[in-house]
Amino acid sequence: MNDFDEELDRRLDAIRQQGLYRELRRVDTPQSPRVEIRGKEFLNFSSNDYLGLANHPALIEAALRAVERFGAGAGASRLICGSLAPHHDLEEALAAFKGSEAALTFATGYGAAIGTIPALVGKADIVILDKLVHASLVDAARLSGAKLRVFAHNDLNDLEAILRWADQRGANAPAGRRPRTLIVTETVFSMDGDFAPLPEFVQLKEKFGAWLMVDEAHATGIFGARGRGLVEHRGLAGRVEIQMGTLGKAVGAAGGYICGTRALINYLVNRARSFIFSTAPVPAGVAAAKAGIGLIQSEEGAARRYQLWARVEQFKSGLASDGSLLPAAASAIIPLIIGDEIAALKLAAALSEQYLYVPAIRYPPVARGQARLRVTMTAAHAADEVARLLAAWPQIKSQL
Ligand SMILES: *Cc1c(COP(=O)(O)O)cnc(C)c1O
């Protein structure tokens, strides 16, 4: 073996020793509550497909029709070879859904973050992040070159103190372009499932003339009237500069989006590098996402949300004797906080032996010593499937 592989093997050993090693598990069926892994059927409690749309006939049908009409590939980036109709249809649907003037889609939510933040702010500016925001937002903020500040999770006093500092700094800035401050948060947090105090954030950012970007990755489709997310639900769509999200979770397809004013979208088309220098998403995925957005707003979407909350309630009340592990907030993400990485891995392995697929989430998505089993419910789960997870839990936990 050459020196390169030896070096990498040493690094992998170090990762293993910390209980942080990961490997891919091949699944031979579509994403749904039951998946086949190595010829065995597992109950799947790991997916962000909250409404069970990833394998829904309406999305499959939309994808097939798009392939027939527009082909398999997208050809190039949308600025180079022309921007296919399905992308425009999706963006119009998204803007209407989110109550914004316009929308722009990216290949992934990660790409939306990485393209947008560095387009908007640079060296002279400040980005203020909630301590628990997703890696895509952290990476994007770092890439922008702006000065970074982190406030304690959902802590308005901490945020205000940083805004005051930024304001002071702006007042002392040399003449030229006014330094900008961008606040970045999620509405529903991805690993804890709790909510940001959005109206208070909006008040604060207005008081200090800062900009606000919110990531609704885990809210779109499941919270707010007709699943429009928390920004729209709170009537704040016109007061949040940048609404971001993914089309890969409740929407059931793949891709990322930014919603905002026409000026924001025109600007991103000119300046967001992950949009400009990347091949457009394929027609099938885009058409599936548009079908997902439509379904979310329909009666069936409402019924699926009802079903989702019924399963969440079933699981949480079934675990009530283990209340210490449960978060206070209600979302489709139910983290059971274990702490130690190796212990979390052992629990996940024990569940796996009973054909229950629940991932052990470990650093870096969460802090070291904050490892957890992250149970996600979907509208597609049946009551007896949730009951199977509940039945296995006491015995598994006794192995702790
Ligand atoms: C999943 C996720 C993203 C990334 O979206 P993808 O479409 O999966 O790239 C961004 N932000 C948050 C909070 C997420 O949970």
Side-chain angles (χ1 to χ4, degrees), residues 1-154:
M1 193 191 292
N2 65 31
D3 181 59
F4 177 69
D5 285 347
E6 276 173 28
E7 166 73 25
L8 297 191
D9 276 339
R10 265 197 303 280
R11 294 187 197 178
L12 285 169
D13 279 340
I15 294 172
R16 271 192 203 91
Q17 276 163 23
Q18 299 170 72
L20 298 178
Y21 188 74
R22 289 158 171 90
E23 55 199 341
L24 295 171
R25 291 223 258 179
R26 174 181 163 139
V27 171
D28 292 302
T29 47
Q31 275 298 326
S32 62
R34 291 167 190 258
V35 292
E36 187 186 307
I37 300 173
R38 277 179 265 107
K40 293 276 187 307
E41 186 182 85
F42 281 71
L43 280 185
N44 181 12
F45 292 100
S46 64
S47 162
N48 298 320
D49 177 25
Y50 299 123
L51 296 179
L53 300 189
N55 192 33
H56 189 287
L59 274 74
I60 294 171
E61 180 61 29
L64 288 171
R65 274 206 304 272
V67 169
E68 282 164 5
R69 179 124 187 257
F70 293 97
S77 113
R78 286 169 64 191
L79 285 169
I80 297 289
C81 70
S83 177
L84 292 174
H87 293 105
H88 292 267
D89 292 344
L90 171 59
E91 284 162 356
E92 278 165 28
L94 267 169
F97 178 53
K98 288 289 182 179
S100 64
E101 257 173 56
L104 188 67
T105 52
F106 294 71
T108 63
Y110 188 92
I114 286 285
T116 299
I117 296 180
L120 290 170
V121 291
K123 257 195 349 262
D125 305 309
I126 297 167
V127 178
I128 310 179
L129 304 154
D130 184 285
K131 174 98 171 85
L132 295 186
V133 293
H134 189 259
S136 59
L137 300 164
V138 175
D139 293 359
R142 285 191 182 136
L143 184 65
S144 76
K147 197 171 272 300
L148 305 192
R149 287 289 181 273
V150 173
F151 61 98
H153 178 49
N154 278 345

Side-chain angles (χ1 to χ4, degrees), residues 108-110 134 136 186 190 215 217-218 244 246 249 255:
T108 63
Y110 188 92
H134 189 259
S136 59
E186 294 174 28
S190 64
D215 182 351
H218 296 276
M244 170 188 151
T246 175
K249 290 173 178 147

Side-chain angles (χ1 to χ4, degrees), residues 33-337:
R34 291 167 190 258
V35 292
E36 187 186 307
I37 300 173
R38 277 179 265 107
K40 293 276 187 307
E41 186 182 85
F42 281 71
L43 280 185
N44 181 12
F45 292 100
S46 64
S47 162
N48 298 320
D49 177 25
Y50 299 123
L51 296 179
L53 300 189
N55 192 33
H56 189 287
L59 274 74
I60 294 171
E61 180 61 29
L64 288 171
R65 274 206 304 272
V67 169
E68 282 164 5
R69 179 124 187 257
F70 293 97
S77 113
R78 286 169 64 191
L79 285 169
I80 297 289
C81 70
S83 177
L84 292 174
H87 293 105
H88 292 267
D89 292 344
L90 171 59
E91 284 162 356
E92 278 165 28
L94 267 169
F97 178 53
K98 288 289 182 179
S100 64
E101 257 173 56
L104 188 67
T105 52
F106 294 71
T108 63
Y110 188 92
I114 286 285
T116 299
I117 296 180
L120 290 170
V121 291
K123 257 195 349 262
D125 305 309
I126 297 167
V127 178
I128 310 179
L129 304 154
D130 184 285
K131 174 98 171 85
L132 295 186
V133 293
H134 189 259
S136 59
L137 300 164
V138 175
D139 293 359
R142 285 191 182 136
L143 184 65
S144 76
K147 197 171 272 300
L148 305 192
R149 287 289 181 273
V150 173
F151 61 98
H153 178 49
N154 278 345
D155 187 328
L156 292 163
N157 290 330
D158 200 18
L159 173 60
E160 179 156 13
I162 298 172
L163 281 167
R164 191 161 290 125
W165 164 83
D167 203 38
Q168 211 64 51
R169 190 174 168 273
N172 299 331
R177 179 165 81 74
R178 176 180 161 198
R180 293 293 181 172
T181 300
L182 174 67
I183 304 167
V184 180
T185 187
E186 294 174 28
T187 53
V188 177
F189 281 82
S190 64
M191 293 300 153
D192 294 78
D194 58 341
F195 301 89
L198 265 194
E200 289 81 1
F201 275 141
V202 169
Q203 273 167 17
L204 267 182
K205 72 105 187 166
E206 285 174 353
K207 176 170 167 192
F208 288 93
W211 296 340
L212 178 60
M213 174 170 179
V214 302
D215 182 351
E216 297 230 72
H218 296 276
T220 295
I222 56 176
F223 289 107
R226 302 211 169 256
R228 288 178 164 146
L230 291 182
V231 173
E232 209 276 345
H233 185 58
R234 298 273 164 86
L236 298 171
R239 291 165 72 190
V240 171
E241 280 79 8
I242 307 125
Q243 298 189 56
M244 170 188 151
T246 175
L247 302 166
K249 290 173 178 147
V251 179
Y257 68 80
I258 298 287
C259 289
T261 58
R262 175 51 63 191
L264 170 67
I265 300 310
N266 290 346
Y267 181 74
L268 292 177
V269 168
N270 282 275
R271 282 286 179 271
R273 295 172 64 86
S274 64
F275 177 83
I276 298 167
F277 295 101
S278 192
T279 300
V282 297
V286 171
K290 177 165 179 271
I293 297 287
L295 208 147
I296 281 167
Q297 298 173 81
S298 71
E299 288 309 308
E300 183 182 345
R304 282 179 175 259
R305 281 187 289 280
Y306 183 85
Q307 174 81 354
L308 170 65
W309 299 126
R311 292 295 155 265
V312 169
E313 201 39 53
Q314 181 193 352
F315 183 66
K316 288 180 82 166
S317 55
L319 268 195
S321 58
D322 259 338
S324 62
L325 290 170
L326 283 174
S331 81
I333 306 160
I334 308 155
L336 305 173
I337 311 286

